[in-house]
């Protein structure tokens, strides 16, 4: 190939790479790439919300956690501020699981109105702090799970 | 064929002197990492949520940052090679790529170890973890490509293109926690952590940076020596005298 031809080829390749990159950044992929739904989005699905594998993210409603260590049975509710979904799990929660923390659960929403979870994951923040007197970390987690898009 | 390597390097003392300098360099950077780790462990109180697990930050975050920096070196070497067509840029990119592969794998392994007790899972296909896995696959692919292509000029050209592609993925990985919903928390930095943790993070990041630079430099020197001996072997095979 001539030197000129090679230059043109390289310019086309560079344009294609940059174009793909720009598409990834500014294009529609952001809308399709949803790791978890919020309770409001799950409810908005109506009939399509039921019995399909889905991830649900939100904040553990303070005071909603019922943990039976003998039966390994966990019940709590997830909220995004707008809607609240009751969750049931037959596994031990992660170490950091507690009232008010962010969580992402995997499983299916059943017609009985309970989300049957196969996996409970804790979503914590990047704000690492030593505890202070009378601190209420729950506030912070609300902002974490109400959506990270601008 | 019987005396392929022997007559090549005339300065017999130079490699030994360089070898001990390299060893001293290695000991110094390792001592710095140990000191920075000790500082982190001795100065940080337990985090209010994760307790002492917070200290994994002092290895995971510096590994991630310096993996990104190694990719910047890959990008610079690749672009410079395509522009100047000088072999040294290709060797620099290849050296940085090996370090980038190690640091990216280390980031994933340490993140996984951190994720299991804090999130509750070793792995999940969220955008941050997935894009980091893609980054690792690209850079391992880069190294595989180099071993498959024998002709140096073609190898340099192809790997420069793959190196640039891999580096373009770095801002996607970095911003993934802002652009999309993830399980992974947003980026940690000295400004998002308690002042009690900030210096532990900074010092370990600097210590890892020195390790990264040291590794790239050592690998680059080895790559140059490999090329010199390859060229010498070629010349000898062609029947020349040296």
């Amino acid at each position: 190939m001539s030197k000129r031809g090679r230059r043109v080829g390289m310019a086309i390749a560079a344009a294609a790479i940059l174009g793909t990159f720009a598409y990834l950044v500014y294009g529609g992929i952001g809308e399709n790439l949803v790791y978890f739904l919020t309770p409001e989005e799950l409810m908005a699905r109506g009939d399509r919300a039921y019995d399909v594998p889905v991830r649900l993210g939100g904040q553990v409603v303070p005071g909603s956690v019922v943990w039976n260590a003998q039966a390994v049975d966990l019940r709590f509710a997830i909220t995004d501020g707008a809607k609240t979904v009751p969750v049931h799990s037959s596994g031990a929660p992660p170490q950091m699981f507690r009232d008010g923390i962010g969580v992402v659960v995997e499983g299916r929403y059943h017609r009985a109105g309970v989300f049957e979870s196969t996996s409970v994951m804790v979503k914590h923040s990047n704000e690492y702090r030593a505890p202070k007197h009378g601190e209420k970390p729950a506030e912070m987690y609300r902002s974490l799970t109400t959506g990270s898009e601008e | 064929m019987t005396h392929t390597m022997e007559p090549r390097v005339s300065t017999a003392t130079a490699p030994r002197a360089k070898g001990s300098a390299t060893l001293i360099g290695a000991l110094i950077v390792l001592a710095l990492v140990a000191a920075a780790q000790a500082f982190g462990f001795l100065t940080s109180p337990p985090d209010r949520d994760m307790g002492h697990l917070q200290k994994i930050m002092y290895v995971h975050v510096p590994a991630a940052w310096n993996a990104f920096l190694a990719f910047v070196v890959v990008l610079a070497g690749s672009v410079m090679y395509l522009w100047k067509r000088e072999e040294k840029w290709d060797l620099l990119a290849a050296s940085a790529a090996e370090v980038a592969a190690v640091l990216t794998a280390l980031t994933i392994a340490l993140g996984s170890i951190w994720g299991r007790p804090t999130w509750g899972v070793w792995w999940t296909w969220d955008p941050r973890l997935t894009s980091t896995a893609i980054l690792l696959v690209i850079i391992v692919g880069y190294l595989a490509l180099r071993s498959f292509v024998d002709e140096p000029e073609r190898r340099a050209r192809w790997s420069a293109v793959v190196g640039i592609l891999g580096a373009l993925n770095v801002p996607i990985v970095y911003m993934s926690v802002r652009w999309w919903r993830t399980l992974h928390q947003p980026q940690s930095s000295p400004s998002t952590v308690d002042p009690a943790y900030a210096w532990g993070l900074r010092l370990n990041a600097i210590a890892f940076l020195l390790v990264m630079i040291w590794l790239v430099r050592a690998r680059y020197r080895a790559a140059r020596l490999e090329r010199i001996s390859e060229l010498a072997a070629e010349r000898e095979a062609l029947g020349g005298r040296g």
Side-chain angles (χ1 to χ4, degrees), chain A residues 35-36 98 126 129 141, chain B residues 49 119 124 181-182 187 194:
Chain A
Y35 176 65
F36 61 81
R98 56 163 173 72
N126 61 342
R129 291 281 177 271
Y141 289 103
Chain B
D49 292 322
W119 301 345
T124 183
R181 286 179 197 168
T182 57
Q187 304 98 337
D194 197 289

Side-chain angles (χ1 to χ4, degrees), chain A residues 51-63:
Chain A
D51 299 319
V52 287
V54 70
R55 286 195 199 91
L56 182 69
Q59 190 186 15
V60 175
V61 177

Side-chain angles (χ1 to χ4, degrees), chain B residues 170-221:
Chain B
V170 167
I172 298 179
V173 172
Y174 184 75
M175 291 307 292
S176 57
V177 286
R178 306 250 171 228
W179 288 340
W180 303 301
R181 286 179 197 168
T182 57
L183 184 64
H184 193 287
Q185 60 277 24
Q187 304 98 337
S188 299
S189 75
S191 63
T192 73
V193 303
D194 197 289
Y197 306 143
W199 273 104
L201 185 55
R202 283 194 191 104
L203 288 177
N204 279 289
I206 293 167
F208 269 64
L209 174 67
L210 294 173
V211 172
M212 191 271 274
I213 291 170
W214 181 82
L215 283 173
V216 172
R217 195 159 162 264
R219 192 61 194 86
Y220 176 69
R221 280 185 176 166

Side-chain angles (χ1 to χ4, degrees), chain A residues 10 17 21 30 33 35-36 41 94 98 121-124 126-131 135 140-141 148-149, chain B residues 47-50 57 85 114 118-119 121 124 126-127 168 178 180-182 185-188 192-194:
Chain A
M10 260 173 57
I17 292 167
F21 181 64
L33 213 145
Y35 176 65
F36 61 81
E41 286 163 350
R98 56 163 173 72
M121 298 178 283
V122 164
K123 178 174 166 64
H124 62 84
N126 61 342
E127 296 179 16
Y128 301 86
R129 291 281 177 271
E135 196 179 20
M140 177 181 84
Y141 289 103
S148 50
E149 65 267 45
Chain B
D47 178 74
R48 64 183 168 192
D49 292 322
M50 60 175 70
M57 178 204 286
R85 301 282 163 154
W114 201 3
T118 52
W119 301 345
V121 287
T124 183
D126 91 336
L168 283 181
R178 306 250 171 228
W180 303 301
R181 286 179 197 168
T182 57
Q185 60 277 24
Q187 304 98 337
S188 299
T192 73
V193 303
D194 197 289

Side-chain angles (χ1 to χ4, degrees), chain A residues 34-146:
Chain A
V34 176
Y35 176 65
F36 61 81
L37 298 175
T38 64
E40 191 174 22
E41 286 163 350
L42 183 71
M43 294 299 124
R45 283 187 163 196
D47 210 44
R48 289 183 306 116
Y50 298 109
D51 299 319
V52 287
V54 70
R55 286 195 199 91
L56 182 69
Q59 190 186 15
V60 175
V61 177
S64 71
V65 179
V66 181
W67 165 235
N68 184 334
Q70 273 79 43
V72 198
D73 188 271
L74 177 68
R75 287 179 187 278
F76 59 98
I78 290 183
T79 186
D80 56 7
K83 296 272 194 249
T84 300
V85 176
V87 179
H88 174 250
S89 167
S90 305
Q95 186 182 313
M96 282 172 66
F97 182 87
R98 56 163 173 72
D99 273 0
I101 203 161
V103 285
V104 175
V105 293
E106 290 176 333
R108 290 160 195 263
Y109 187 52
H110 289 312
R111 291 192 185 268
V114 176
F115 191 95
E116 200 59 45
S117 164
T118 53
S119 170
V120 177
M121 298 178 283
V122 164
K123 178 174 166 64
H124 62 84
S125 84
N126 61 342
E127 296 179 16
Y128 301 86
R129 291 281 177 271
K132 298 184 184 80
H133 291 295
E135 196 179 20
K136 291 262 194 310
E139 267 315 297
M140 177 181 84
Y141 289 103
R142 191 161 297 148
S143 65
L144 267 178
T145 48
T146 48

